[in-house]
Amino acid sequence: IDDVIEVIFRCCKKPATPSNKFDHFNPNPSNSSAPFRIFNVGNRQPVSILKFIEILEEAMGVLTFKNYLPIQPGDVESTAADTTLLEKWINFRPSTELKFGVGEFAK
């Protein structure tokens, strides 16, 4: 939450502008003719899904029942935020450790 608040605060000081590189006939999801930007706000350290579940369990004080199935289309084994665009836009890199952030969220 702390990182998200900092990002919102910094983005308020640097409003988005339309991209002059946007091509209506060949649109690219990385730019837009609208004055908006979408950023990934998170920790860049990869974490396995099982580790993420373990951190959630600890923060919430519960154990979950896990039913292991073969990997499904769209499943991921680990995840991490790519904050490259955010860092370039407002010169800020989120730094909250996952365990701390989830713990604060659970409170």
Side-chain angles (χ1 to χ4, degrees):
I1 302 288
D2 294 344
D3 287 339
V4 172
I5 291 169
E6 182 66 24
V7 166
I8 291 170
F9 176 76
R10 289 179 183 224
C11 282
C12 284
K13 293 184 172 198
K14 185 176 181 180
T17 55
S19 172
N20 58 2
K21 296 179 183 177
F22 185 75
D23 180 353
H24 290 278
F25 300 106
N26 188 20
N28 180 331
S30 69
N31 60 39
S32 173
S33 63
F36 304 106
R37 295 289 183 265
I38 297 174
F39 298 110
N40 198 341
V41 180
N43 192 312
R44 295 184 79 156
Q45 296 297 320
V47 60
S48 73
I49 299 303
L50 290 177
K51 182 64 176 175
F52 181 73
I53 292 170
E54 178 185 310
I55 291 169
L56 277 173
E57 288 176 330
E58 184 179 324
M60 302 299 288
V62 297
L63 291 177
T64 60
F65 171 77
K66 297 166 199 72
N67 183 13
Y68 295 94
L69 299 172
I71 195 160
Q72 305 292 307
D75 283 353
V76 296
E77 293 182 17
S78 67
T79 182
D82 180 356
T83 59
T84 305
L85 293 176
L86 178 68
E87 293 170 32
K88 288 179 182 177
W89 187 255
I90 59 171
N91 195 31
F92 177 74
R93 183 178 188 172
S95 60
T96 301
E97 297 274 335
L98 180 63
K99 189 171 184 173
F100 176 79
V102 170
E104 290 297 300
F105 176 77
K107 286 180 190 176

